[in-house]
Amino acid sequence: VGNDSALELEGVPSIDGSHSLRLVAAKDVRALVSTVSTSEFSENVLRDRLENLEWLKTHVAAHERAQREAFRQTQILPFRFLTIYRDEQSLRDMLTARAEEFRKLLTSLEGMVEVGVRVSFDRQSVAASVEEGGWATANPAPDHPTQGRGRSYLVSRRVADDVSRTVAEVAERQARMIHDECCQLAARAVILRAQDNRLAGRKDEVILNAAYLVSRARADDIAILIRDRNQSTAGQGFKVEVTGPWPPYNFVSPEVFVG
């Protein structure tokens, strides 16, 4: 966090819910920190804690909530969850050594936010839309001695394969078009790993999961773009979601906070 603005942190929960959030300053940068107990955050204890999904979910949410509140008030470099320093002096030493580097990053990100875009589709719905639109047709089957049900089976398989192939092409085209449109509004873009929707009980398939670094004004433009895209593909089996604006999570390299 830069030193160019005050931060109002009253009422913002800390990481462990017991200690207050506070700022540690060195040179012209500040770190927003939360004291945590070694009984809960020591290296040995964390091995078990990280297997506890409920614990992880609760503390990650608190970490992100603190970052977002700070980001609402000023530009920040979002540290990864569980970036832990043993004491305040070691944190000050790191900030002092890298203050110029952090200040340049903060300046480069000034006025920028991250927006997430996720495109998914329901394969059956898109297939129905493809078939209704006449986009996929089976080529006439070649002459073959097989007659009756055997020949009918070959034709039906060819139709099914043709539809499946066209569905994949249509989905890829939609994802590429939306990504290109978002890139026109963004300074930078990152393609993220798509999460498996089956774990969340959803049957749609993710074809684009991306983050875009945009100016705060452009964040609204992307939201409007996504709304229009949803309207234009209504009933065709596609769903486009936008999230944010967020701190620039995916535009600050993890190596920035190493050592």
Side-chain angles (χ1 to χ4, degrees):
V1 180
N3 267 337
D4 52 358
S5 61
L7 283 181
E8 178 54 59
L9 302 173
E10 185 177 353
V12 182
S14 63
I15 303 304
D16 67 356
S18 300
H19 301 87
S20 300
L21 293 172
R22 58 195 176 88
L23 290 165
V24 173
K27 287 195 173 181
D28 57 348
V29 293
R30 299 172 294 173
L32 178 61
V33 303
S34 175
T35 301
V36 293
S37 170
T38 54
S39 65
E40 192 172 17
F41 284 85
S42 67
E43 185 175 352
N44 291 335
V45 173
L46 281 175
R47 291 193 184 99
D48 294 328
R49 294 292 190 187
L50 293 178
E51 298 295 325
N52 185 332
L53 294 182
E54 194 60 36
W55 183 93
L56 193 60
K57 179 180 178 180
T58 298
H59 288 80
V60 167
H63 175 79
E64 292 183 348
R65 189 161 51 243
Q67 288 187 333
R68 291 171 189 172
E69 178 56 32
F71 184 61
R72 188 182 65 82
Q73 302 178 49
T74 189
Q75 187 58 263
I76 70 169
L77 299 179
F79 277 57
R80 292 334 190 231
F81 179 58
L82 296 180
T83 303
I84 300 175
Y85 288 82
R86 292 186 178 278
D87 53 51
E88 187 170 308
Q89 187 56 51
S90 61
L91 173 59
R92 288 183 186 278
D93 290 343
M94 185 277 291
L95 292 175
T96 299
R98 306 182 66 184
E100 182 178 357
E101 176 187 357
F102 289 162
R103 171 55 67 184
K104 287 181 179 178
L105 280 170
L106 285 165
T107 299
S108 70
L109 293 169
E110 187 64 38
M112 307 298 284
V113 300
E114 178 175 320
V115 174
V117 173
R118 183 176 179 277
V119 183
S120 59
F121 74 107
D122 178 78
R123 187 170 291 273
Q124 291 183 347
S125 298
V126 176
S129 178
V130 165
E131 290 175 320
E132 291 173 4
W135 298 331
T137 57
N139 294 324
D143 292 337
H144 195 280
T146 305
Q147 299 295 328
R149 286 182 298 178
R151 185 176 181 82
S152 176
Y153 171 76
L154 290 175
V155 172
S156 64
R157 278 295 301 272
R158 181 169 296 166
V159 171
D161 290 345
D162 195 30
V163 170
S164 179
R165 183 171 55 253
T166 304
V167 166
E169 293 172 353
V170 170
E172 182 182 353
R173 188 162 60 246
Q174 280 288 339
R176 185 169 57 249
M177 178 173 59
I178 292 170
H179 178 61
D180 289 347
E181 290 174 334
C182 289
C183 283
Q184 292 177 14
L185 300 173
R188 293 165 60 190
V190 174
I191 302 295
L192 306 174
R193 184 176 63 181
Q195 296 179 338
D196 190 341
N197 273 353
R198 293 173 297 182
L199 298 177
R202 296 174 56 166
K203 65 178 182 178
D204 54 336
E205 302 176 41
V206 178
I207 49 175
L208 176 66
N209 186 30
Y212 303 92
L213 184 68
V214 300
S215 66
R216 288 186 181 272
R218 286 293 194 182
D220 289 338
D221 292 340
I222 286 188
I224 293 171
L225 169 66
I226 299 310
R227 182 199 64 193
D228 293 345
R229 183 55 56 204
N230 273 317
Q231 291 176 350
S232 67
T233 59
Q236 296 179 15
F238 289 96
K239 183 178 182 180
V240 192
E241 301 166 272
V242 60
T243 62
W246 311 120
Y249 295 119
N250 291 290
F251 298 94
V252 178
S253 170
E255 286 74 21
V256 168
F257 304 118
V258 174

